[in-house]
Amino acid sequence: MKYKLLALDLDGTTLTSNHEILPQVKQEIQRVKDDVVVLLVTGRHHTAARPYHHELGLDTPIISCNGTYIYDFSSDTVVKENALPKEKAKQFLQLAHQHQLNMVMYVTDAMTFSSQKPIEYMKALEAWAEDFPAAIKPEIRRIASFEQELALNEYIWKFVVEGDIEQIESFTRLPFIQDEFSGEKSWSNRIDFANKGNTKGARLAEYIQTLGITPSEVIAIGDNHNDISMIELAGLGVAMANADDAVKRAADISTPEGNDGKGIADIISTYFRA
């Protein structure tokens, strides 16, 4: 089978635990990127994925926030989106405050989190972002009010809730959340809440159709629950060796080594030969 598109998750897949791209992984991606479509399909905001897109020298758009939107870095434009309507986002905020949940809100051009109750992983991301030059620096902001930030932005892409996973899973079972949001686990203690129907697999299926590529011609690689939809879509769905068991059950194969070993390099070298 000749595969025409390689869909890659970032965290836990293309990136190591230290949020770096291994030299052998970078070499393999750069080897094939002129012959096949290499597409980053991530839960990240596009500004937080930009440094890696730049490092890999990709010219393809990126699927961000678990399929919520497609962003084109070459023109700095949103190609297609299914953002949260503001009224729905307001209701989400009200419920989340009532349940005393810790949140991150992804808006048009930034990831925002509370300055009064900052989340630890966002503080770490904030420090990480400082290492990049202005042209590719991720936009991460501490804010005083989610409601005020919501009013100022054109797009609300998604919410990330972090904390006690049982408490968050209980929140996902609220009727309004079940009816209006797609909730997917993106880390051991985080669930992402996007507009209903937004998944990596759904957006990837739509995008490849515009290229004349069929799902059977796609390899998709990921490690967490939000990757399952694209892994199941792909002709060859690949779970990382470090993936959750549910992801491995959904995949056709797993990588020989995890993201801190050879990662995805073996898969690319095997299925995209020179």
Side-chain angles (χ1 to χ4, degrees), residues 175-190:
F176 172 70
I177 301 300
Q178 283 199 332
D179 291 345
E180 301 293 340
F181 290 83
S182 289
E184 295 184 304
K185 193 174 181 182
S186 60
W187 206 249
S188 59
N189 65 340
R190 290 177 214 144

Side-chain angles (χ1 to χ4, degrees), residues 41 66-67 184 197-205 220 224-234 237 247 250:
V41 185
N66 299 328
E184 295 184 304
N198 288 347
T199 66
K200 290 185 177 185
R203 186 65 73 187
L204 180 59
N224 220 313
H225 289 224
N226 59 339
D227 298 311
I228 289 175
S229 60
M230 73 170 182
I231 285 172
E232 291 180 334
L233 169 77
V247 184

